[in-house]
Amino acid sequence: MKILLIRMILLILITLFFFGCSENDTSVTPPGEDSSAFYLGFTPFPYDITQSAVLYVYDKIRSDANIISHHFDDGIPWPEALSGTDYHQNIIADWQFRLGNTPATHKILVSVTPINIDRNGLAPYKAEQGNLPLPAPWDTVSFNNPYVKTAYLNYCNKVIDFFNPDYFCFGIEVNLLMVNSPGKWNAYMKLQKYIFTQLSTSHPNLIIFVSFAGMDLIPGYTSSNDADQSLAFQQAISYSDYYGISLYPFLSTFTTDTIPSDMFTKLFSLSNKTTVFTETGYPAQSFSIFGGTIQFNGTQEKQDNYFKQLFNAAEKRGVKFIIDFVLRDYDDLWREAGSPDDISKVWRDTGLYDENGIPRLAHETWMKQLNP
């Protein structure tokens, strides 16, 4: 997601924590734990900079899901994590707000990453907000630096202790580092191996894994180097309990024109490990970016077709859970950000609810899968 949007979301959550908010309506009956062949959930990504928008999403997660994804992709408190000193109060406030609004009936996925949002280097610094410049000496260290290893392990342990998740993703779309900065891959892999080994020992009953950008794993689907992606996948999947997939089929050579009939077969053939979709989505409206140079002709019908294909493939594969990243279109948030004509638009219209809160066709498909 766009860095500006992520910063705005963090500020929303901080404001709500410090100035108070009413608790979610607990009168809504959550879906049964075994109502679907796999868990279905969302991130609490809000559609606007308002308290009502934030609580709306949590309410919908309560009624429309049985797993919640807390997705942290905006930095690490590196110096504090290394020294063991207190994190900035805004970080803890955000965590407390999230946990306080997490339905007790739901499974919990927490995702963190040592890789920055551009997927080309070390994650930025996080304190009063995310995506802050790395202070010295963190701005020059490699992924394999002993300080990085220690700090990131400490951070992961602190997050796990706080959220007590059912699933813990400690690297987001890790194969994109090989795409954007292949020279840093070997150092990163040493970090992943170290973190996986240490966490597996200290938390033997916790599912610990990394996620991959799925479309880049399949030859010909993107401009990624196929040999590099194959190597990155084989190395990274070795230190991951699950095969985590971040899947946005329209962010490929196919855009919204088609979904290859053998896409899931090719994805699933890469590993026999338990598969999860850590994030996904598909646009239900048409839009363009970069002055109209790239066009996406999304429709409700195309979005619904994608989820039907996804659910069918997931049932056959024995997928454990699926996370739809955006619950409701964030047109309001996008306007607050200045209506940028850039990459932040590509997820704007992927909600199962449109910008007015009206359920789309895919929402009906989703709810039938959740409560068959």
Side-chain angles (χ1 to χ4, degrees):
M1 289 294 171
K2 182 71 172 175
I3 289 176
L4 177 58
L5 291 175
I6 292 176
R7 288 178 175 174
M8 294 169 72
I9 298 307
L10 178 60
L11 291 174
I12 291 171
L13 299 178
I14 292 168
T15 300
L16 287 174
F17 178 81
F18 283 115
F19 293 99
C21 62
S22 59
E23 293 193 3
N24 289 338
D25 179 10
T26 57
S27 64
V28 179
T29 302
E33 181 175 308
D34 299 321
S35 56
S36 176
F38 38 80
Y39 298 112
L40 292 173
F42 305 92
T43 71
F45 190 89
Y47 60 88
D48 197 6
I49 312 178
T50 64
Q51 175 176 304
S52 60
V54 173
L55 295 181
Y56 170 98
V57 175
Y58 276 104
D59 282 339
K60 292 299 184 184
I61 288 174
R62 177 175 285 105
S63 61
D64 295 8
N66 49 19
I67 184 173
I68 185 171
S69 169
H70 293 297
H71 186 96
F72 299 101
D73 200 5
D74 61 344
I76 307 294
W78 292 110
E80 294 84 356
L82 177 63
S83 65
T85 54
D86 291 341
Y87 295 177
H88 194 282
Q89 62 180 350
N90 289 358
I91 295 175
I92 303 303
D94 176 38
W95 290 5
Q96 290 173 330
F97 178 82
R98 287 172 177 270
L99 193 59
N101 285 275
T102 294
T105 55
H106 288 31
K107 296 292 185 180
I108 299 175
L109 163 67
V110 173
S111 298
V112 298
T113 186
I115 305 173
N116 62 23
I117 201 165
D118 293 324
R119 310 291 186 248
N120 62 7
L122 191 68
Y125 179 48
K126 185 172 183 178
E128 68 274 12
Q129 65 181 42
N131 294 298
L132 295 172
L134 286 166
W138 301 92
D139 55 343
T140 60
V141 297
S142 72
F143 284 105
N144 193 37
N145 185 282
Y147 287 170
V148 172
K149 286 182 172 181
T150 300
Y152 193 57
L153 178 61
N154 290 345
Y155 176 74
C156 288
N157 277 315
K158 193 175 185 71
V159 171
I160 291 170
D161 290 344
F162 191 94
F163 284 94
N164 189 28
D166 298 283
Y167 311 99
F168 184 66
C169 176
F170 69 99
I172 299 172
E173 299 175 333
V174 299
N175 56 314
L176 293 186
L177 179 67
M178 178 65 96
V179 175
N180 298 316
S181 193
K184 298 177 181 178
W185 179 257
N186 287 338
Y188 165 75
M189 272 310 307
K190 292 176 182 177
L191 173 64
Q192 182 179 322
K193 179 181 179 180
Y194 174 77
I195 298 298
F196 179 75
T197 302
Q198 294 296 315
L199 291 180
S200 296
T201 300
S202 59
H203 300 84
N205 298 319
L206 178 62
I207 301 299
I208 302 164
F209 65 101
V210 298
S211 72
F212 301 86
M215 298 306 283
D216 291 85
L217 294 178
I218 306 176
Y221 280 20
T222 71
S223 60
S224 300
N225 181 285
D226 297 337
D228 284 351
Q229 285 299 290
S230 178
L231 175 63
F233 180 78
Q234 292 304 322
Q235 291 180 343
I237 197 65
S238 298
Y239 303 101
S240 181
D241 287 334
Y242 277 5
Y243 173 20
I245 303 175
S246 168
L247 190 63
Y248 299 98
F250 61 101
L251 298 182
S252 67
T253 58
F254 307 105
T255 63
T256 51
D257 293 338
T258 187
I259 296 175
S261 60
D262 58 353
M263 178 181 70
F264 290 109
T265 300
K266 289 182 175 180
L267 274 175
F268 295 157
S269 70
L270 297 176
S271 173
N272 60 6
K273 290 189 175 183
T274 299
T275 303
V276 293
F277 288 90
T278 56
E279 55 181 293
T280 193
Y282 203 90
Q285 294 176 218
S286 293
F287 64 94
S288 63
I289 58 175
F290 303 130
T293 57
I294 303 177
Q295 179 70 37
F296 296 89
N297 297 311
T299 67
Q300 280 202 61
E301 291 74 18
K302 289 181 179 180
Q303 182 191 54
D304 187 44
N305 177 60
Y306 167 63
F307 278 99
K308 286 178 177 177
Q309 290 187 49
L310 173 60
F311 293 161
N312 181 59
E315 286 187 348
K316 293 179 179 178
R317 171 70 172 191
V319 164
K320 184 64 67 173
F321 63 76
I322 296 172
I323 303 297
D324 181 36
F325 200 95
V326 177
L327 183 143
R328 173 170 163 168
D329 288 3
Y330 57 87
D331 297 58
D332 293 337
L333 181 63
W334 179 73
R335 283 190 290 269
E336 290 287 344
S339 303
D341 182 31
D342 59 15
I343 196 67
S344 67
K345 288 175 68 177
V346 302
W347 297 280
R348 184 193 61 189
D349 304 314
T350 59
L352 298 190
Y353 293 86
D354 70 14
E355 64 271 22
N356 297 311
I358 299 174
R360 291 194 165 112
L361 292 174
H363 178 265
E364 180 179 357
T365 297
W366 178 276
M367 294 304 292
K368 287 181 178 178
Q369 180 65 43
L370 185 68
N371 296 305

